[in-house]
Amino acid sequence: GENVEQHPSTLSVQEGDSAVIKCTYSDSASNYFPWYKQELGKRPQLIIDIRSNVGEKKDQRIAVTLNKTAKHFSLHITETQPEDSAVYFCAASIPGAGSYQLTFGKGTKLSVIP
Amino acid sequence: SQTIHQWPATLVQPVGSPLSLECTVEGTSNPNLYWYRQAAGRGLQLLFYSVGIGQISSEVPQNLSASRPQDRQFILSSKKLLLSDSGFYLCAWSVLRDSGEQYFGPGTRLTVT
């Protein structure tokens, strides 16, 4: 099955700096890569995703890049703000029979220091 | 718009007791439904998924089971809880079968004592 590795496990940045979280996946058949943000005690929320036919996608201060050859994808957050502090999860998905099954990384705890 | 509900929000149960968690989705039809478990400070583990009524696929062998008695209802059950069953249980749905996008419910925090 698919295996997703996520690094780093914790990340501290000064407010206004950029943050980068990296993930690698094992199965070349994976074609959908979402990122979720989970605040303490809350549900994970989808913040951005990318499909294998696209190399980069941007939404305001967040962007995701995908390198299919190397089988890795990254989340970039620019101009970080204290409200960006949360745990971020990457995932990879292989299309199945009518269903996508997401395999998640172990998460990165991002702390933005004011 | 679509809404997903889970109940109860929190639950404290003794070891060996039964469990029933419910998830319902509003505002859509024929969704894919998923059950995940998140242990404290850990990642998300897919437990079950369903592409239709009565259709359940299990990802991890364990003492849990799932059922989908109605199109927008997904139930997670156990006959006898173990201490290791403690965690944050999240139901998720996706409406487009070829999109991959999944959206999570508010979760049930289960503590087995």
Side-chain angles (χ1 to χ4, degrees):
Chain A
E2 176 64 280
N3 182 52
V4 176
E5 299 283 341
Q6 183 172 347
H7 298 280
S9 57
T10 60
L11 179 60
S12 291
V13 299
Q14 290 292 132
E15 182 177 358
D17 287 351
S18 296
V20 180
I21 303 170
K22 299 180 179 181
C23 290
T24 61
Y25 60 99
S26 61
D27 196 323
S28 56
S30 290
N31 66 355
Y32 174 66
F33 307 92
W35 286 89
Y36 287 83
K37 175 184 179 182
Q38 187 177 30
E39 297 176 350
L40 189 63
K42 302 285 185 65
R43 74 184 87 182
Q45 294 198 312
L46 178 65
I47 57 172
I48 195 167
D49 56 16
I50 192 167
R51 299 186 186 279
S52 58
N53 58 347
V54 175
E56 182 173 1
K57 185 176 179 180
K58 189 173 182 180
D59 182 4
Q60 300 182 341
R61 293 187 299 108
I62 60 173
V64 58
T65 59
L66 171 65
N67 183 326
K68 286 196 302 180
T69 302
K71 290 191 281 188
H72 68 71
F73 56 111
S74 300
L75 178 71
H76 305 254
I77 306 174
T78 59
E79 301 172 17
T80 53
Q81 300 167 4
E83 51 265 38
D84 294 329
S85 296
V87 179
Y88 291 81
F89 292 96
C90 65
S93 178
I94 302 171
S99 175
Y100 275 71
Q101 299 169 50
L102 296 179
T103 300
F104 285 85
K106 294 186 185 302
T108 296
K109 184 176 181 180
L110 174 64
S111 299
V112 179
I113 304 164
Chain B
S1 64
Q2 298 85 6
T3 308
I4 181 168
H5 303 277
Q6 285 187 247
W7 63 88
T10 60
L11 191 59
V12 180
Q13 292 283 97
V15 168
S17 64
L19 173 74
S20 182
L21 304 180
E22 190 165 344
C23 169
T24 58
V25 181
E26 295 178 356
T28 186
S29 60
N30 199 23
N32 284 351
L33 296 172
Y34 308 82
W35 277 113
Y36 290 87
R37 176 170 59 200
Q38 185 175 35
R42 305 292 292 277
L44 294 130
Q45 179 188 33
L46 177 63
L47 302 176
F48 301 94
Y49 69 92
S50 171
V51 300
I53 296 174
Q55 300 179 63
I56 308 295
S57 296
S58 173
E59 289 299 299
V60 182
Q62 60 216 327
N63 68 321
L64 299 172
S65 62
S67 62
R68 186 168 176 176
Q70 300 180 41
D71 180 44
R72 290 171 289 177
Q73 184 185 32
F74 205 21
I75 297 172
L76 183 70
S77 303
S78 175
K79 292 182 180 178
K80 288 186 177 182
L81 283 169
L82 307 173
L83 284 174
S84 57
D85 290 325
S86 293
F88 192 35
Y89 287 81
L90 291 152
C91 181
W93 69 276
S94 63
V95 63
L96 298 175
R97 299 201 182 283
D98 61 351
S99 75
E101 297 162 13
Q102 292 184 22
Y103 299 93
F104 287 89
T108 295
R109 194 163 302 279
L110 171 67
T111 303
V112 182
T113 60

